Every structure is written in C-alpha cells, then in structure tokens.
Amino acid sequence: MDPDDDLGLFGPGSVTWKLHEEPILMLAGLRSLYLQALHPRTVAGVVQNSSYRDDPYGRLARTSMFVGVTVYGTTAQAEAAARRIRRVHARLSGTDPATGERFRLDEPDLLRWVHVAEVESFLSTARRAGLALTGDEVDRYYAEQRRSAALVGLDPATVPGSAAEVAAYYEAVRPRLRMTREAAQTALFLSAPPLPYKLGLTPVRLLYAGVAATAFGLLPAWARRLYGLPGLPTTDVSAVLSARTLRAALGLLPRRVYDGPLRRSALARAARLAPA
C-alpha cells in the first residue's frame, strides 16, 4: 500500500474519529490548557520556551494542526509531524522555579501529564456536552490514544489506557500540582487574551469570556480549588448546561464551516479504500 494513502493511526470505526468530529473539542483544548498549567514544571517549561503571549493564535494553530495530523493524517504524515515535535522538545529545557533544577521538556513525566490532560479533556468535554459514549468506548478511546503518546516519545505501557487508569493517574499526580505564579498568569492570559482584528472592542470579547468560563468550569472540582476557586457542584451544572448549549449551536452550522482539509482528506481516503 502507498504509505501516503493509508487510513492513519485510527481510521473509520475508531472512537477517536467519532470523538474528534465534534467541533466542541475547541472548548476541550482550552480546558486542557488550564489543567496543564497546574503542573509547575510543565507551565514553567512553556513560559520559559514559548512565545505564546506574543503569538497565541500561531501556537494554538500549530497545536491544533499536530492533533489533526495524528487523528486524520496518514501514518507517514503523523510520524513526520511527531519527529518534528520530538526534535524541538529535545533541544529545550527549563528551570524549576522552586528548586532551580534544570529539566528537559521531553522528560516522560512531563510528556505524560500533557498527554493525559489533553485526551481526558477531549473525552470529558465531549461527553459532558452531550456526546453519548459507552463505558467501553471511553476505554477504547484512551487505549487508542496510546498510539499518539508513542509518537511523542512515550512508552505506551506507561500511559493510562482506560478510564480507571486515568482516574488513578490523576490521584497519583495531584500532590505535585499547585497554582504557581506562572499558572496564575497563564490562566489569566487564557481567560482574556488579546483578540485579533480589534475584536476585543466588540461583543466577541464577551462571547470569548463566556467560552473561557465554561472551559474553566468543566475542570475537575479539585483543579478549580487549586486555582483558589470553590469546586461547587453548581459550577459543574452551569458549565455542563453552557457546553451543551454551545454544542447545539455549533451543530446548526454547516459542516464545511469547521471541517478542516485533514478530515475531508481522511474521509475521502476511507471511502476510496473501503472494500467494494
């Protein structure tokens, strides 16, 4: 088979394709960033090595492209994108603000935290916004995403591959999480970033604020408490209602509005390669 014409890491029938066709995952990406920032070394590494404040939308676009390629690209495309990411991470390091210790950004503990926070955010956000998934599908998604973890350099056997394993991982890592100065600054930036094209002077600012508040409200109660806010059940209810409303609104849009070329190309390959 032509290496540039396969179904990639997942393909039709995977839970990954079912989940990632949801436009509500844009909300999940924001939730993931709030969550990731609670890991002191992760956020320190980002702050010390990234231009996210100067080019937030460029960084977001690059991250979204990488996720899109791993989900919908061919195997060759996904592996090529991963090699580029690994090369970048291998050159970068940071300084722990609490201890002064130097650390590499490609340390397995950091890569694993980013991976789990991201995939759990995708899954949790989509389900709470109304996507129906069975318990078996949830576990299959986490197991499938071990392939993405392997791309960035992790041993798949060390990555949680089920809902129970993700819960156990969070329980184990929580003592290392806290709100540092960098985490607080990142959260504030995520909540009110500069908007392009002078949109900050329009109602778009209020719309974005509502989206950010929903993403933050979808965090686990323990994460909201680490940020110094109460982890009240009413916050969960409000965030879920907002997420479901947003998903319903996005569902009214034509798919061409948010369907990217990677997914369209993947669907075309799947149709072409399907058994006659």
Side-chain angles (χ1 to χ4, degrees), residues 5-22:
D5 197 30
D6 70 357
L7 294 176
L9 301 180
F10 306 105
S14 68
V15 184
T16 295
W17 273 30
K18 178 178 180 177
L19 182 67
H20 283 262
E21 72 176 10
E22 290 284 323

Side-chain angles (χ1 to χ4, degrees), residues 24 27 129 210 213-214 236-248:
I24 197 65
L27 187 65
T214 300
D236 293 299
V237 172
S238 176
V240 166
L241 289 174
S242 296
R244 294 194 173 205
T245 299
L246 180 58
R247 180 172 181 255

